[in-house]
Amino acid sequence: MKKSELTFYKMHGIGNDYIYFDCMKEELADPAGLSVRLSDRHKGIGGDGIVMICKSGIADAKMRMFNADGSEGKMCGNAIRCVGKFLYDMHKTKKTRLTIETLSGVKTLELSVKDGEVEKVCVDMGAPILAPKEIPVKLDGFGGDKIVGLETEIAGGRYA
């Protein structure tokens, strides 16, 4: 049996804590199942999910993220900033402007470096998606194209 070369790191960006896997040489066999097992804060490492840092054919790297429930997420601004820091600090790149492929498109990161380490990462998230079908979110009886300002009832309270 071949020994795995996968390495993982625990990082957080403003409180979003993910378990990051360097998948440049080898991808995870069951990332959804692994995310469920490892994200459990009582029986696993604990976190919001896992992030795979992979090779990309269209960008400097590819980010795949799986939530704690095993569902694959399109994008997380805090997670992608950690990906940028990882790539630079672990000497995977010397670039301070990176492109990262995600399920919501290719995102551009600007890295600020001090004393050889990333101090800050800015990401262009693009325009927000506000159409309920594209988020996705189910709102019974809602036929509009944006949910901003929509009044709805949640747990007995009315919210916009």
Side-chain angles (χ1 to χ4, degrees):
M1 181 180 221
K2 181 183 157 195
K3 182 180 175 187
S4 174
E5 295 181 27
L6 284 171
T7 305
F8 74 89
Y9 305 84
K10 179 96 185 254
M11 294 186 279
H12 81 90
I14 311 176
N16 285 127
D17 61 331
Y18 287 91
I19 304 157
Y20 293 79
F21 286 88
D22 181 352
C23 295
M24 291 295 197
K25 294 180 182 173
E26 179 182 352
E27 292 209 15
L28 301 173
D30 179 18
L34 187 62
S35 185
V36 171
R37 288 189 307 279
L38 293 181
S39 298
D40 187 298
R41 294 191 188 273
H42 299 288
K43 298 177 184 172
I45 296 169
D48 293 329
I50 67 168
V51 173
M52 297 168 57
I53 304 168
C54 310
K55 288 183 179 179
S56 171
I58 61 171
D60 294 311
K62 179 178 180 178
M63 177 181 91
R64 290 187 68 199
M65 58 174 284
F66 291 82
N67 298 308
D69 67 0
S71 63
E72 187 166 8
K74 287 185 174 185
M75 180 61 196
C76 173
N78 290 327
I80 199 170
R81 291 183 314 108
C82 288
V83 168
K85 180 170 177 54
F86 170 85
L87 290 169
Y88 190 90
D89 288 356
M90 299 304 286
H91 309 289
K92 306 287 184 181
T93 186
K94 292 182 179 182
K95 297 167 68 174
T96 57
R97 181 179 172 90
L98 299 173
T99 54
I100 307 295
E101 178 185 354
T102 72
L103 285 180
S104 65
V106 175
K107 305 298 180 191
T108 301
L109 282 60
E110 296 286 342
L111 284 55
S112 297
V113 177
K114 183 177 180 182
D115 298 327
E117 288 190 353
V118 172
E119 186 175 60
K120 180 173 74 171
V121 179
C122 294
V123 60
D124 181 356
M125 297 286 287
I129 297 170
L130 302 173
K133 289 181 183 177
E134 291 181 46
I135 292 174
V137 64
K138 294 180 183 178
L139 295 171
D140 293 334
F142 178 69
D145 61 347
K146 290 183 183 179
I147 61 168
V148 175
L150 172 70
E151 283 212 11
T152 189
E153 185 175 330
I154 301 172
R158 300 279 311 157
Y159 300 91

